[in-house]
Amino acid sequence: MMTPRSPSAPVSPLLLVFLLFVSVSSSLCSPASLHDAFLQCLLNNTQTLHGQQQEPSQMLHAPTDLSFPTLLGSLVRNRRFNTSSTPKPLLILTPSHPSHVQSAVVCARRTGAELRIRSGGHDFEGTSYVSRAPFLVLDMFNFRSVDVDVEQETAWVGTGATLGEVYYRIWEKSGLYGFNAGVCPTVGVGGHLSGGGYGNMLRKYGLASDSVVDAQIVDVEGRVLDRSSMGEDLFWAIRGGGGASFGVILSYRVRLVPVPNVVTVFRVWRTIEENATELVYQWQNIAPRTDNDLFMRLLLQPASSERQKGAKTVNASVLALFLGNADRLVSMLDGEFPELGLRKEDCAEMSWIESVLWWGDFDSGTAVEALLDRMPKSVSFLKRKSDYVQEPISREELELLWDKMIELGKVGFVFNPYGGKMGEIPVSDAPFPHRAGNLFKIQYSISWSEDGTEAEQSNLGKTRELYNFMTPYVSKNPRRAFLNYRDLDIGITENGENSYKEGSVYGVKYFAENFKRLVKVKTEVDPQNFFRNEQSIPVLPRSSSAMTQNSGSTERTRKVMVLVILFLFLKDLMTIYS
């Protein structure tokens, strides 16, 4: 019969280590263990890097925390990635100081877990907060300062600020300036600017990323760099090439743009029965070539006919921003675009900041302070895709398109005209390559509210079917796409030894001839491919052993985490027995 161990008998340190190793190795590290290990790493590295102790514990959030689901879901803008089966992060990190970000990068590298970086959560495919490998989320929403310098006509903008906050702070300082970014006020600055970022002044001033004059980034070594210290190649890459492939953007310095005291907006719509075909055909020829002060977006949506009960039609709506008064606008379009039939009573004159509210679909008379609300009015299940059109679609082809849209019943289009300043900026000036030669960009748009796999597959299938239908009418070799309309259908990488080959599939669609330069920059600044996602910029091909290092595999991540926890446990154990 075995004699029970005396309660006072010392436990062998080697036995404890062995038992711990067996326990931890049998499964992935528990959230509590990872939390403790990561916290210890943060404390050690914050002290080492900066010579003083910070309070990083406040930025660590484990799945066991009561606030974790709310924190994770608060910036999810696509319900497809907020279900019970959606992979969840091991930890959420909410830094509030550059030193926190530096330490977070250093410690994330040591754990081997993937690091996903989130600013506003509007990534259409959820890559900023979802991964199939074990991962952490670095949520930058605390970096939301907007420091406007009217005299210099610039502003330093935190990567976690929303576009609405940026517009409000500019207006707060001066009504003479605006910023040429997007029309959705809850979009985060970080993803918007680093992926290109466009708005309704792109024909006048170009993309939001074209107005970036400086930036602060934490690189893979945990260093804070600005334009002068990062070098022109990296600065070039993060103005349209996707910042999350190269580091953690802290802030951008942007050039403000002058806006007139009075701008004009309008919305005019027609159905097929009201000669929408001719309107859309002529829009293709006029919208990209008209005065640079005018941006006319075209929306196409299948709908029920008001004239024939039970019949289906297509609505064509033209939404516009004109940097001038209504008289000048109506006079100009009377000559250029009579098919639109614009009247002065269709127009509304207002200040530029009021036009931001109008484009954001706020009710008339809404206070400007509404732009400070970081929450959208609603969050749906959705899918978006993109294309570029370089030759007008004929009237006959438009008629075929109407039939297809009515058949599918739900998928809509957003046509955004180019031309103007977009045709003047050289392709090599920034990673965003879609400049001269493009008439307009297409967004395929579908949203739904029904839960479940069946609804998702049905709606995704319809979107993909319409995308395939459009193949003859859009850009070719490569068929181009817009990074900020993230679409995993066009290719993904597993971030393993074939990452360059896999990345080239979607890379040339997003970046055309600029893809190779982006890969070169990536290889120089992040050779081990730490900053990665399903559509990140890959590194140049290397040996198999080198490519698999930091490849993000689940097994390697598990082993590294085990070693980190064992090391910390041993350290504490030796202290006890010393």
Side-chain angles (χ1 to χ4, degrees):
M1 181 176 179
M2 185 176 293
T3 304
R5 179 184 295 272
S6 169
S8 61
V11 180
S12 166
L14 290 176
L15 177 59
L16 284 177
V17 172
F18 174 76
L19 292 174
L20 177 67
F21 179 80
V22 171
S23 174
V24 175
S25 297
S26 64
S27 62
L28 284 174
C29 305
S30 71
S33 300
L34 178 60
H35 179 279
D36 293 345
F38 208 93
L39 177 58
Q40 187 62 54
C41 182
L42 288 176
L43 290 169
N44 291 342
N45 283 278
T46 302
Q47 188 174 31
T48 300
L49 288 170
H50 310 287
Q52 59 180 345
Q53 199 72 286
Q54 303 285 335
E55 293 296 335
S57 60
Q58 298 178 5
M59 80 172 197
L60 271 184
H61 310 272
T64 52
D65 296 347
L66 293 177
S67 61
F68 187 88
T70 300
L71 183 62
L72 178 62
S74 63
L75 289 181
V76 172
R77 302 293 181 247
N78 186 348
R79 287 178 60 192
R80 287 175 56 207
F81 307 109
N82 195 19
T83 69
S84 59
S85 61
T86 302
K88 305 298 189 293
L90 301 170
L91 291 172
I92 299 175
L93 316 176
T94 56
S96 57
H97 189 274
S99 65
H100 294 166
V101 179
Q102 292 176 271
S103 301
V105 170
V106 170
C107 294
R109 287 182 66 192
R110 292 182 181 179
T111 66
E114 290 191 2
L115 186 68
R116 297 301 172 99
I117 307 161
R118 183 166 76 168
S119 56
H122 278 267
D123 187 321
F124 287 144
E125 296 283 16
T127 60
S128 62
Y129 53 87
V130 177
S131 173
R132 290 174 295 176
F135 70 107
L136 316 172
V137 168
L138 186 65
D139 203 317
M140 299 296 290
F141 69 84
N142 287 321
F143 285 76
R144 54 199 291 186
S145 64
V146 181
D147 185 10
V148 178
D149 188 333
V150 175
E151 291 187 1
Q152 295 294 320
E153 299 182 333
T154 61
W156 273 105
V157 181
T159 192
T162 64
L163 297 183
E165 289 173 324
V166 174
Y167 298 149
Y168 179 87
R169 298 304 175 195
I170 295 172
W171 167 81
E172 193 177 39
K173 287 292 183 72
S174 172
L176 300 177
Y177 295 95
F179 184 53
N180 51 317
V183 302
C184 179
T186 60
V187 167
V189 164
H192 187 69
L193 267 67
S194 72
Y198 79 96
N200 53 21
M201 293 193 286
L202 90 163
R203 302 189 65 257
K204 180 74 171 182
Y205 297 115
L207 305 173
S209 57
D210 294 329
S211 293
V212 172
V213 296
D214 203 346
Q216 286 188 317
I217 184 174
V218 174
D219 74 354
V220 72
E221 300 298 331
R223 300 172 297 183
V224 177
L225 308 174
D226 61 9
R227 180 175 182 173
S228 62
S229 55
M230 78 175 75
E232 288 302 303
D233 283 341
L234 180 53
F235 181 68
W236 174 86
I238 62 174
R239 294 185 302 114
S245 287
F246 304 95
V248 183
I249 310 294
L250 300 177
S251 60
Y252 281 107
R253 190 184 187 194
V254 300
R255 183 176 55 250
L256 306 182
V257 300
V259 293
N261 290 327
V262 174
V263 304
T264 304
V265 299
F266 70 79
R267 178 169 187 157
V268 173
W269 57 90
R270 300 283 187 273
T271 63
I272 296 174
E273 298 82 5
E274 297 168 327
N275 210 16
T277 302
E278 188 64 21
L279 182 148
V280 173
Y281 176 74
Q282 295 298 341
W283 177 92
Q284 298 176 92
N285 297 296
I286 296 159
R289 299 185 175 94
T290 188
D291 192 297
N292 291 2
D293 286 337
L294 178 59
F295 175 85
M296 291 189 291
R297 169 178 279 183
L298 177 64
L299 306 180
L300 301 175
Q301 190 70 38
S304 298
S305 174
E306 294 183 0
R307 292 188 178 185
Q308 294 179 285
K309 188 175 181 180
K312 301 295 182 180
T313 187
V314 172
N315 282 336
S317 303
V318 179
L319 288 76
L321 172 70
F322 179 63
L323 301 175
N325 62 44
D327 287 335
R328 179 183 160 214
L329 174 62
V330 172
S331 175
M332 183 174 70
L333 289 183
D334 274 349
E336 289 185 355
F337 198 3
E339 294 82 4
L340 186 63
L342 184 68
R343 305 164 300 171
K344 188 171 181 180
E345 51 264 40
D346 297 322
C347 303
E349 294 180 332
M350 58 188 65
S351 66
W352 175 78
I353 196 66
E354 289 172 330
S355 77
V356 171
L357 293 165
W358 187 88
W359 277 85
D361 202 27
F362 288 91
D363 294 333
S364 178
T366 299
V368 178
E369 284 72 19
L371 295 174
L372 298 176
D373 188 351
R374 296 173 64 88
M375 296 301 295
K377 295 179 180 178
S378 62
V379 178
S380 302
F381 299 93
L382 58 89
K383 175 66 179 179
R384 303 290 187 264
K385 298 176 74 67
S386 62
D387 261 320
Y388 284 88
V389 175
Q390 297 167 338
E391 298 289 338
I393 303 170
S394 71
R395 296 175 180 87
E396 294 74 19
E397 291 164 338
L398 289 173
E399 295 286 355
L400 295 175
L401 177 57
W402 307 154
D403 292 341
K404 191 64 179 178
M405 293 180 70
I406 291 171
E407 173 194 330
L408 294 173
K410 200 169 184 180
V411 189
F413 285 111
V414 182
F415 289 2
N416 295 287
Y418 275 29
K421 186 71 172 179
M422 290 297 290
E424 300 169 8
I425 299 174
V427 168
S428 61
D429 190 68
F432 184 93
H434 317 294
R435 306 285 186 172
N438 291 289
L439 296 177
F440 57 96
K441 174 175 58 187
I442 293 177
Q443 180 191 96
Y444 301 78
S445 176
I446 191 167
S447 300
W448 65 97
S449 58
E450 303 86 3
D451 290 294
T453 303
E454 184 176 346
E456 177 173 331
Q457 292 305 313
S458 173
N459 285 285
L460 294 180
K462 290 177 180 179
T463 310
R464 291 163 181 160
E465 186 173 346
L466 187 57
Y467 178 82
N468 292 335
F469 176 86
M470 291 295 292
T471 301
Y473 315 123
V474 298
S475 61
K476 299 171 180 65
N477 303 315
R479 183 173 184 172
R480 299 188 172 205
F482 176 40
L483 180 63
N484 275 358
Y485 291 172
R486 178 86 68 184
D487 179 12
L488 297 186
D489 291 351
I490 67 172
I492 62 170
T493 176
E494 299 293 339
N495 285 302
E497 61 183 57
N498 294 319
S499 65
Y500 179 77
K501 181 179 180 181
E502 294 165 346
S504 298
V505 174
Y506 58 81
V508 296
K509 296 174 183 177
Y510 286 136
F511 305 112
E513 57 264 49
N514 289 331
F515 174 68
K516 290 183 178 179
R517 183 177 174 187
L518 285 168
V519 172
K520 182 179 178 182
V521 175
K522 169 72 172 182
T523 306
E524 290 173 352
V525 303
D526 183 19
Q528 301 301 329
N529 196 26
F530 171 72
F531 293 109
R532 60 190 183 270
N533 59 51
E534 290 80 1
Q535 286 190 339
S536 55
I537 301 298
V539 295
L540 287 169
R542 295 170 288 170
S543 66
S544 177
S545 60
M547 282 298 294
T548 54
Q549 184 176 3
N550 272 325
S551 67
S553 69
T554 301
E555 181 61 22
R556 184 186 179 282
T557 299
R558 186 175 72 87
K559 289 179 179 178
V560 173
M561 289 180 179
V562 168
L563 289 174
V564 170
I565 292 176
L566 283 175
F567 172 78
L568 292 171
F569 178 81
L570 276 171
K571 181 179 177 183
D572 291 340
L573 199 61
M574 292 304 102
T575 301
I576 293 171
Y577 279 87
S578 62

